[in-house]
Amino acid sequence: MASLKTYLLLVLLLLSGAALAEEGADAAEIRELLDAFLEGASTNDAQMHDRFWAESLVYTSSSGLRFGKSEIMGGLAEAAANEEAGPVYTAEDVNIRLLDKIAIVTFRLMAKGIGGEVEGQFYNTGVLQLLDEEWQAITWQATRILDSDE
């Protein structure tokens, strides 16, 4: 009987190790996607936006407006016509929590201008879902971080 218990324990350990490895791979994939998206957002890359946002997206902006993917994609066309260099976006303090085919991503978004000066900081929370074998954002919330002087 002891050998059966040992066998079952070994199977459980192997299964939990495989689940942790899969979760780690998903988290790494999501982090890579986030970094690629922020790089693309820095240049108003419409293809990257189209890849990142799900068709069912609900986005709540830091100014309190709520809109979907079609409004984001329409705004990109206007930004491309403007051709003005915008900020470069990066993520700090990234936390990714996985719940099966759902990922909750929280981070500090840094917006930096020419020369690297910080133009704005935002707390971002996104929910991504695995849709057709790709992670896509289905909801997003951005909150401007107020300067300590404000």
Side-chain angles (χ1 to χ4, degrees):
M1 187 67 110
S3 63
L4 179 60
K5 286 182 182 179
T6 303
Y7 173 76
L8 290 174
L9 180 60
L10 181 60
V11 168
L12 287 173
L13 287 172
L14 288 172
L15 290 175
S16 65
L20 289 174
E22 182 179 328
E23 185 173 301
D26 284 341
E29 179 183 346
I30 291 166
R31 178 58 197 256
E32 286 178 27
L33 175 62
L34 177 63
D35 289 341
F37 168 71
L38 293 176
E39 182 179 333
S42 297
T43 61
N44 296 316
D45 182 337
Q47 285 183 315
M48 190 68 233
H49 277 275
D50 188 51
R51 160 66 187 88
F52 189 77
W53 304 118
E55 294 301 322
S56 62
L57 173 72
V58 175
Y59 188 107
T60 305
S61 72
S62 62
S63 61
L65 298 175
R66 185 165 279 172
F67 45 86
K69 181 176 180 174
S70 62
E71 290 85 359
I72 290 173
M73 298 308 291
L76 289 172
E78 291 175 25
N82 186 2
E83 293 188 26
E84 186 175 309
V88 172
Y89 298 109
T90 58
E92 295 182 1
D93 306 323
V94 177
N95 182 286
I96 299 169
R97 287 178 256 157
L98 291 159
L99 307 164
D100 194 27
K101 295 180 187 252
I102 297 287
I104 301 166
V105 180
T106 58
F107 64 97
R108 178 187 297 253
L109 176 72
M110 305 297 290
K112 297 179 182 177
I114 297 171
E117 70 277 357
V118 176
E119 294 181 353
Q121 297 183 59
F122 303 83
Y123 288 125
N124 277 240
T125 301
V127 177
L128 284 74
Q129 184 175 8
L130 192 58
L131 300 166
D132 297 324
E133 303 301 317
E134 290 188 324
W135 291 99
Q136 287 191 296
I138 58 172
T139 188
W140 206 263
Q141 169 80 44
T143 303
R144 180 176 291 281
I145 300 172
L146 300 178
D147 292 335
S148 58
D149 298 341
E150 296 183 37

